[in-house]
Amino acid sequence: MRARTAGVLALVLTLLLAACTVGGGERPPGRTVLRFQSLAWQKESVDANKELVAEWNAAHPDLQVEYVQGSWDSVHDQLLTSFEGGEAPDIIHDASDDLADFAYGGYLADLRPLLPARLKADIPGTSWKATTFGDGVYGVPFLQEPRVIMANRKILQASGVRVPTPERPWTWLEFREVTKELTATMGEGKYAVAWPLKEPVSVSLNLGLSAGGRLFHRDDDGRARIRFTDGDAVMPGTVHAQVNTDRSAPRSTLGMGGSDTLPGFFGGKYAMVPLGFSYRQQIAQQAPEGFEWMVLPAPAGDGGLAQGVSPQTLSIAEDSPHKQEAARFIDFLLQPPNMVRLARGDWMLPTGTEALKDPSLRTEKDGWATGAALADDLRPAPAQSVRGYPEWKDKVATPAFQEYYSGAIDAAELEKRLVEDGNLVLARYQR
């Protein structure tokens, strides 16, 4: 009987000890523990985040942070479930284009009274617009990713075409002409540019800003409406022509993700691939020996080099009992030197003006300087404050753009679907 009693006591003690540990460390009485859900996934980025959490914990024994690993693939549904179940993390890593429903739904804290003046001033107003919904600010935008053109240096230099720079970019018309000329010199079965457009909507909208396109407009009553202008047609029209008229871009890559095009890029099948800035890491790590690559700015139009981005964000759950403490950790995480570490870990650009001055983000190596030169032209993605955008994107815009780029429908049908079908979707969210 004594042996059984001792065994029960030992089990109870074990369970109590387990209940007092978070992330492998003990939680003594009086210690506050914040849960920080990160979506970092590349090793360098995960390492940078975990190192910063460890540094904070070493300096703040009474205010500890537990690192929780999340996933970009499932974050929206996972967060919605955790919000509704009252189990949301205190500090939430996400992207600005995923915040609207959470902000309007009351799940995220308004950060205006919580953030220090230093952090508010360090991040430009254009970036803050990406996380402003109604009268509140519901996320701190801290990393951003322009879309650039990854190019095979040897092919471009051998062709004799003008190589663009941020100071003298290609226009969209020049880009089309260059790709026709380049394809003609490359030989059978090779193409000047490969467009990986498995997810075509954000690419089309964000690059469309450079030509003056916006697609989404606010009427005087504040309601969002879709209108298709000449500027909205420039970027999609260029891609459509390259694939279906000029044959300077293959139809086969339209259904691919960015990584899927890299083998063909390395093998010389494609001279250029428009990709997000962070793809430089894969290229640097996976390119065969002797492969020479360079980073070019995306084409410019009436809007210059402007393009839309959906910055990565840090938010605080409205239900968190430790909002002030969570804001202190965010301020630490986004001190300029730490923001640089996070940016380099993700191979992205920081939003902070001080961090952007860091010399390591302005080197020619791996195209950092080209990206940094684009920072002033980045704008909030056109649709991210529009309620109903996710449904419009999935049910209307994605199939419409896919069919247009492949040549299955013409520009008139694309416009009809985006505008007429799209406004019916938006109307349901704005009654």
Side-chain angles (χ1 to χ4, degrees):
M1 184 68 177
R2 288 181 179 177
R4 183 179 179 184
T5 302
V8 171
L9 289 173
L11 177 60
V12 170
L13 181 59
T14 299
L15 292 173
L16 286 172
L17 287 173
C20 293
T21 61
V22 176
E26 294 185 357
R27 186 194 294 181
R31 172 179 290 184
T32 298
V33 177
L34 303 173
R35 295 175 65 232
F36 165 41
Q37 178 169 296
S38 170
L39 301 181
W41 63 276
Q42 300 182 93
K43 184 181 185 304
E44 293 177 48
S45 180
V46 172
D47 289 348
N49 277 271
K50 288 185 174 180
E51 287 167 5
L52 287 168
V53 168
E55 291 169 19
W56 169 274
N57 287 341
H60 301 84
D62 295 329
L63 180 57
Q64 295 285 280
V65 173
E66 175 194 359
Y67 181 94
V68 178
Q69 186 63 61
S71 169
W72 286 108
D73 293 336
S74 58
V75 64
H76 185 88
D77 291 341
Q78 178 263 320
L79 284 174
L80 185 60
T81 300
S82 66
F83 284 136
E84 294 180 344
E87 299 178 349
D90 299 278
I91 302 150
I92 298 163
H93 180 191
D94 204 351
S96 59
D97 61 355
D98 191 41
L99 298 185
D101 288 342
F102 297 144
Y104 289 122
Y107 295 121
L108 301 177
D110 183 356
L111 301 180
R112 289 176 299 171
L114 298 172
L115 298 177
R118 176 208 71 80
L119 186 56
K120 293 177 182 177
D122 186 48
I123 296 174
T126 51
S127 294
W128 285 115
K129 288 180 181 179
T131 57
T132 299
F133 303 95
D135 296 327
V137 174
Y138 296 95
V140 182
F142 71 106
L143 293 179
Q144 53 192 347
E145 182 175 23
R147 193 161 288 268
V148 293
I149 297 175
M150 309 299 180
N152 184 313
R153 183 188 299 273
K154 290 182 179 178
I155 293 178
L156 256 65
Q157 290 182 341
S159 72
V161 301
R162 183 179 75 82
V163 176
T165 65
E167 294 73 31
R168 284 193 65 211
W170 286 325
T171 64
W172 282 101
L173 180 59
E174 187 180 6
F175 176 52
R176 181 181 171 185
E177 293 303 316
V178 164
T179 56
K180 283 198 291 186
E181 179 181 341
L182 201 54
T183 299
T185 68
M186 290 179 63
E188 186 71 24
K190 296 183 178 181
Y191 301 88
V193 61
W195 284 97
L197 290 173
K198 184 178 181 180
E199 301 289 342
V201 180
S202 63
V203 179
S204 305
L205 295 185
N206 290 339
L207 288 182
L209 285 181
S210 66
R214 283 201 60 83
L215 205 62
F216 290 86
H217 303 264
R218 293 282 181 182
D219 290 344
D220 292 339
D221 60 5
R223 290 173 177 264
R225 299 283 192 279
I226 299 172
R227 292 196 293 273
F228 196 88
T229 67
D230 290 344
D232 293 302
V234 172
M235 180 273 172
T238 302
V239 177
H240 177 86
Q242 288 172 327
V243 172
N244 298 285
T245 304
D246 306 336
R247 303 292 194 268
S248 58
R251 186 176 283 105
S252 59
T253 65
L254 294 177
M256 292 184 180
S259 298
D260 300 327
T261 61
L262 293 184
F265 180 54
F266 296 149
K269 185 174 182 179
Y270 321 124
M272 297 180 287
V273 185
L275 292 169
F277 196 53
S278 65
Y279 275 89
R280 295 170 305 124
Q281 182 187 36
Q282 288 187 52
I283 295 173
Q285 293 177 348
Q286 299 174 13
E289 186 175 352
F291 182 81
E292 296 182 19
W293 58 283
M294 58 197 305
V295 178
L296 310 177
D302 291 345
L305 285 168
Q307 63 172 280
V309 291
S310 298
Q312 293 189 22
T313 58
L314 294 172
S315 301
I316 298 174
E318 175 60 30
D319 286 346
S320 171
H322 307 296
K323 294 185 182 67
Q324 290 287 354
E325 294 85 349
R328 284 175 55 199
F329 175 69
I330 289 176
D331 181 47
F332 161 78
L333 205 62
L334 302 184
Q335 292 288 326
N338 296 343
M339 198 184 283
V340 171
R341 292 164 65 180
L342 293 172
R344 289 190 63 82
D346 253 328
W347 288 63
M348 291 188 181
L349 296 179
T351 57
T353 54
E354 289 303 311
L356 267 171
K357 296 176 183 177
D358 191 277
S360 71
L361 302 181
R362 295 184 172 272
T363 63
E364 293 296 332
K365 179 176 170 53
D366 296 331
W368 281 106
T370 298
L374 303 176
D376 289 342
D377 294 294
L378 303 182
R379 304 287 183 266
Q384 58 189 21
S385 65
V386 177
R387 300 204 72 177
Y389 168 72
E391 181 180 343
W392 173 82
K393 180 185 73 171
D394 293 343
K395 295 183 179 179
V396 176
T398 294
F401 275 119
Q402 287 174 337
E403 291 181 46
Y404 176 62
Y405 288 139
S406 70
I409 62 173
D410 62 12
E413 180 64 18
L414 172 69
E415 179 178 349
K416 178 178 181 292
R417 291 198 197 177
L418 295 179
V419 176
E420 294 184 13
D421 296 349
N423 281 324
L424 290 175
V425 172
L426 298 191
R428 294 203 305 273
Y429 290 82
Q430 301 181 99
R431 290 170 180 166

